[in-house]
Amino acid sequence: MKTQLRLLLFGFWLLFPAWLCLAWTSPVQAQDNLPKKPSPVKVSGGLNAYAGAYRASGIAARNQTSPFGLSGSVTVALPGGISLPFSAVLGNQGSSFRQPFNQFGVSPTYKWATVHAGYRNVSFSPFTLAGHTFLGGGIELNPGNLRLGAVYGRFNKAISSNLAEPDIIPAYQRTGYALKVGYGKPGNYVDLIMLRARDDSSSIASVPQSVTQTVVPAENLVVGLTSRLLLIKRITVELDAAVSAFTRDIRSTLVSAEGSNPVVRLFGKFFTPRLSTQLTQATQAAIGYRGQNAGIKLQYKRIDPNFQTMGAYYFQSDIESYAIAPNLTLLEGKLRLSGSYGYQFDNLAGNKNARTGRSIGSLVVSYNPATAFGLDVQLSNYGISQQAGLRPVIDTLRLSQNNLSATINGRYTLQKDAILQVFTLTTTYQQLSDLNTKTANQTENTNTNLNLGYFYQQTETGWGINGMLSYTQTQLPIVVGDSSRAVRFFGPTLGATQSFFDKKLTTSFNASYLVNQQSGVTGQVLTVSFNGGYQLAKRQTLTLSANYLNSNTGIQTQSFNELRGTLGYGISF
């Protein structure tokens, strides 16, 4: 009785916003001859009720034997692009409720002005303010070619540890602001950005002894430049650069900043240098040419070790990389080629035991000579190697690997009147090669995948069939006592769809049979499913689904059967 009452109250709560909106926005009969104004508030959503059955043998039940419940969602759209989504689930498998007010924020825009309020994440450049969520306010103004921006708020909430929850890692409250001044239009501009953030050392009472070395109040000042320039119509220049003064512990001893970096002398009034302050830089730049049928782009990136900004959550540091990315279009757009090659390495300060280098190359070819036929080829090669740093690299531990991946996807389409047929063939090959002979027998592996598919559809009647044959083989490293380490999966998948009663009733059937072989053991997995849906009215549907699973891995203790069935009703508004 209690469960039924909860379900009734749940349905009333979920539909109440829709009823309220309809009552508010629907005009009375005497106003039918008056012009209708658009509603300032829009409500949409849906409510679904379901009941089913579940049986299992050979394993412990993974569901209720008679599952039932209600699920629904309501979205309230307010003026200014504000959206408030609500969702809830109630049933004998558990209950949940979600609403958006834990972190609520708005960013209304009017002409060239945007105001931020509440929980927001704003990006000024990749190395300064780069999407970190803050609670506060801000404004962005773009009158003509002028580009102005400013935000202020709390970047981290104070978190205190306590005896009841000893696993909680404490954190200081962090407050900060960012300013942007620039000139130009989107795609052709120059911006100067500054971010300053600081932890409040008095925001938490104490820090446990176990984390006193890692949880310390910090301070950060970042000054950056970001630019996108269009030169001589077809040449583009991109630049993102920043200098970061990061003080790991604001309680450390003060130091003098005389004779230091020019940026520090210019912006020194905005932070206090200390013994724990580290000055680092980050730069990424690119220059590209884009012609009618060809283009090329040169890219460079360097991020100093330990570069940090409190305006971003995380990005990789201690790297330097070079890359080239050309593209070409031939045969009046029927053949497209694009590729890239780059090299990246670390240990920029030379203080690591070894330097790790990575080379990355890729090629993409797309050939579409006619609407009926298409072929895509993707190749990529990823290499990694090590060189001696402070110490020589031991041969048995030297990392030197190459990862090759190739994918070919072909398709052929036949369409005549109301009949559509599609043939597909996809094959993928991956190989990990270890160039270190002392570790190759423990790491090398290959993977091959092949899929052959067919799709048939009658667009008028809704009748359709589909089928696929798949084969996957993985060759694992050989271990002692096992001469064959190949793992194979193969089998067919068949499906059919049919519509009735002017497409008010839709049905589908799918079945798959997968064989797996490993270490001399053969297993099978059979899956059969049926789905049906009937449209009772414009916004009401009745659904029925059934699913059967038989898993026989070849090991008796790991074989089981499952049968599921569900009947559902849904309404949308």
Side-chain angles (χ1 to χ4, degrees):
M1 183 65 182
K2 291 183 179 180
T3 301
Q4 294 175 346
L5 181 60
R6 291 172 64 190
L7 291 175
L8 182 61
L9 292 175
F10 172 85
F12 173 79
W13 169 87
L14 196 60
L15 290 176
F16 179 75
W19 293 332
L20 181 62
C21 181
L22 290 175
W24 182 17
T25 59
S26 298
V28 296
Q29 185 175 2
Q31 296 175 321
D32 285 345
N33 57 347
L34 297 178
K36 296 180 180 180
K37 296 182 179 181
S39 172
V41 179
K42 295 182 179 180
V43 178
S44 61
L47 177 66
N48 297 279
Y50 65 92
Y54 171 82
R55 298 292 184 272
S57 62
I59 61 170
R62 298 189 289 186
N63 201 347
Q64 298 281 351
T65 56
S66 299
F68 64 88
L70 286 172
S71 65
S73 62
V74 173
T75 300
V76 181
L78 303 176
I82 303 173
S83 181
L84 306 178
F86 301 82
S87 63
V89 176
L90 180 62
N92 63 346
Q93 300 180 84
S95 303
S96 66
F97 172 68
R98 295 181 181 179
Q99 47 83 19
F101 297 111
N102 293 330
Q103 290 192 351
F104 178 75
V106 294
S107 295
T109 299
Y110 179 74
K111 294 185 177 180
W112 41 262
T114 300
V115 177
H116 304 289
Y119 284 95
R120 297 283 80 190
N121 52 75
V122 179
S123 293
F124 284 168
S125 78
F127 300 132
T128 56
L129 181 61
H132 197 293
T133 299
F134 64 91
L135 173 60
I139 187 171
E140 292 185 78
L141 305 174
N142 297 287
N145 289 325
L146 196 60
R147 298 164 56 88
L148 303 175
V151 299
Y152 175 85
R154 188 188 70 193
F155 283 70
N156 277 345
K157 181 181 179 181
I159 301 176
S160 300
S161 60
N162 55 73
L163 297 177
E165 298 174 300
D167 295 333
I168 292 181
I169 300 177
Y172 291 95
Q173 177 172 299
R174 177 172 297 169
T175 306
Y177 63 88
L179 304 173
K180 179 183 75 171
V181 178
Y183 183 84
K185 295 289 186 179
N188 194 13
Y189 62 87
V190 177
D191 292 342
L192 179 65
I193 301 141
M194 185 185 77
L195 177 139
R196 184 179 185 274
R198 179 185 174 91
D199 291 341
D200 183 359
S201 58
S202 62
S203 57
I204 55 178
S206 62
V207 177
Q209 189 67 26
S210 59
V211 294
T212 54
Q213 298 298 319
T214 57
V215 180
V216 291
E219 182 182 17
N220 184 214
L221 172 69
V222 187
V223 178
L225 177 72
T226 181
S227 177
R228 301 292 184 269
L229 298 176
L230 178 62
L231 306 178
I232 319 174
K233 293 184 179 181
R234 299 185 181 275
I235 298 178
T236 59
V237 176
E238 302 175 9
L239 175 63
D240 296 297
V243 177
S244 174
F246 196 97
T247 300
R248 183 175 175 272
D249 189 347
I250 60 177
R251 301 167 300 184
S252 58
T253 306
L254 295 172
V255 296
S256 175
E258 295 181 0
S260 59
N261 190 287
V263 177
V264 176
R265 292 199 301 269
L266 184 61
F267 294 91
K269 296 181 180 180
F270 296 97
F271 86 107
T272 304
R274 301 177 182 272
L275 281 178
S276 62
T277 300
Q278 187 175 18
L279 190 66
T280 56
Q281 303 178 42
T283 303
Q284 65 180 19
I287 181 170
Y289 169 80
R290 182 181 301 173
Q292 184 175 358
N293 295 312
I296 189 171
K297 193 173 189 179
L298 304 177
Q299 299 170 308
Y300 171 76
K301 178 187 289 188
R302 179 188 170 93
I303 303 178
D304 285 350
N306 302 319
F307 178 87
Q308 296 181 71
T309 170
M310 290 184 176
Y313 287 103
Y314 172 80
F315 51 82
Q316 189 178 11
S317 63
D318 190 19
I319 59 169
E320 186 170 358
S321 65
Y322 307 84
I324 181 173
N327 62 82
L328 182 64
T329 301
L330 301 172
L331 303 178
E332 298 180 349
K334 297 179 181 179
L335 178 62
R336 299 178 183 271
L337 300 94
S338 61
S340 65
Y341 179 79
Y343 183 73
Q344 175 182 299
F345 56 90
D346 63 356
N347 197 18
L348 303 186
N351 56 0
K352 292 183 178 180
N353 291 334
R355 164 175 284 191
T356 302
R358 298 174 175 85
S359 60
I360 304 173
S362 65
L363 174 65
V364 178
V365 180
S366 180
Y367 182 54
N368 297 277
T371 56
F373 175 74
L375 181 67
D376 297 324
V377 179
Q378 296 181 358
L379 301 173
S380 66
N381 191 77
Y382 174 84
I384 183 172
S385 61
Q386 286 183 325
Q387 297 177 358
L390 293 176
R391 298 180 181 180
V393 181
I394 302 175
D395 289 341
T396 55
L397 301 177
R398 182 188 297 272
L399 183 62
S400 181
Q401 295 179 346
N402 191 73
N403 197 330
L404 173 66
S405 177
T407 300
I408 300 176
N409 183 16
R411 57 195 176 277
Y412 184 73
T413 304
L414 292 175
Q415 186 166 10
K416 184 178 180 181
D417 298 330
I419 297 177
L420 175 66
Q421 299 182 76
V422 180
F423 301 84
T424 62
L425 175 62
T426 302
T427 180
T428 302
Y429 177 79
Q430 295 176 319
Q431 180 184 39
L432 174 63
S433 302
D434 194 336
L435 306 182
N436 186 342
T437 57
K438 297 183 180 297
T439 59
N441 61 345
Q442 304 173 22
T443 59
E444 288 190 332
N445 64 82
T446 60
N447 182 77
T448 304
N449 177 261
L450 179 66
N451 291 292
L452 177 63
Y454 173 72
F455 175 85
Y456 175 91
Q457 183 72 48
Q458 293 181 0
T459 57
E460 292 183 355
T461 64
W463 161 249
I465 58 173
N466 61 84
M468 177 175 290
L469 291 173
S470 61
Y471 176 84
T472 300
Q473 176 173 306
T474 301
Q475 189 69 43
L476 301 173
I478 298 177
V479 297
V480 178
D482 193 347
S483 58
S484 176
R485 291 283 289 167
V487 180
R488 299 181 182 87
F489 297 89
F490 56 89
T493 299
L494 299 175
T497 60
Q498 177 64 62
S499 299
F500 304 92
F501 309 122
D502 295 329
K503 297 186 179 181
K504 288 186 177 181
L505 174 62
T506 59
T507 60
S508 65
F509 172 84
N510 291 277
S512 67
Y513 181 73
L514 184 66
V515 178
N516 60 83
Q517 297 177 340
Q518 180 179 2
S519 301
V521 178
T522 300
Q524 304 89 28
V525 176
L526 173 65
T527 302
V528 180
S529 64
F530 169 81
N531 293 278
Y534 184 76
Q535 188 173 1
L536 298 173
K538 184 178 180 180
R539 299 180 180 273
Q540 301 180 57
T541 57
L542 186 67
T543 59
L544 175 67
S545 64
N547 181 278
Y548 172 74
L549 172 65
N550 174 266
S551 177
N552 183 359
T553 62
I555 303 175
Q556 186 175 1
T557 57
Q558 297 181 4
S559 301
F560 64 90
N561 294 273
E562 279 186 318
L563 179 63
R564 304 169 186 261
T566 303
L567 177 65
Y569 168 79
I571 181 173
S572 61
F573 50 87

